[in-house]
Amino acid sequence: MHTHLGRRTPRALVLSVAALLAVCCTATATATLPTRTSLAGTWAGSYSGAFSGTFRFTWTQSGSKLSGSIHLSNPPGKYGLAGKVGRNGGIQFGVVGAGATYTGTVSGKSMSGSYKSPQGGGSWSAHKLDLRKHP
């Protein structure tokens, strides 16, 4: 009987420690993930480089996926947008029909980064609009 207990005790102890570590590690990983900011809404900004101008875009967010439209001053027009946002605040999106791709980072109600197009690249920055103040 003592031998039987001896075999179970280490196994039970190992399983208990493993379960405790799993709970602790999960709680720590969850606590350290950055809070996601909703990017849905209207943003305005500017870009410079191969093209220079201003833009205003509106998009919706579903999880990490972004979609919407952008109004560019150069080349002028309204174009479709598709992109994604990462857990670390990284953002990537493309302008359908204009051939430009944007990468950057988001911090609160501001974002900035660089863009590439077949004609060259440059930098961009934007801020989220409060439509009560900027209709």
Side-chain angles (χ1 to χ4, degrees):
M1 188 165 172
H2 179 44
T3 313
H4 182 66
L5 242 156
R7 287 185 190 162
R8 285 187 168 238
T9 304
R11 183 174 180 199
L13 179 62
V14 169
L15 290 176
S16 296
V17 170
L20 181 61
L21 285 173
V23 169
C24 289
C25 292
T26 302
T28 301
T30 304
T32 59
L33 289 177
T35 304
R36 285 193 183 181
T37 301
S38 174
L39 302 182
T42 303
W43 296 71
S46 61
Y47 50 99
S48 60
F51 291 96
S52 295
T54 60
F55 60 84
R56 185 171 173 151
F57 59 84
T58 302
W59 56 29
T60 59
Q61 181 176 356
S62 176
S64 63
K65 293 182 181 181
L66 303 167
S67 61
S69 62
I70 188 169
H71 293 265
L72 295 173
S73 65
N74 184 29
K78 180 180 178 180
Y79 304 91
L81 278 179
K84 63 183 178 178
V85 62
R87 288 185 180 192
N88 63 353
I91 188 169
Q92 298 175 345
F93 58 97
V95 179
V96 180
T101 57
Y102 294 73
T103 58
T105 56
V106 178
S107 178
K109 294 185 178 196
S110 298
M111 62 175 79
S112 62
S114 60
Y115 74 90
K116 292 180 185 178
S117 74
Q119 296 79 20
S123 61
W124 64 273
S125 64
H127 61 279
K128 192 170 187 179
L129 296 178
D130 179 350
L131 292 181
R132 294 172 291 172
K133 295 179 183 177
H134 304 280

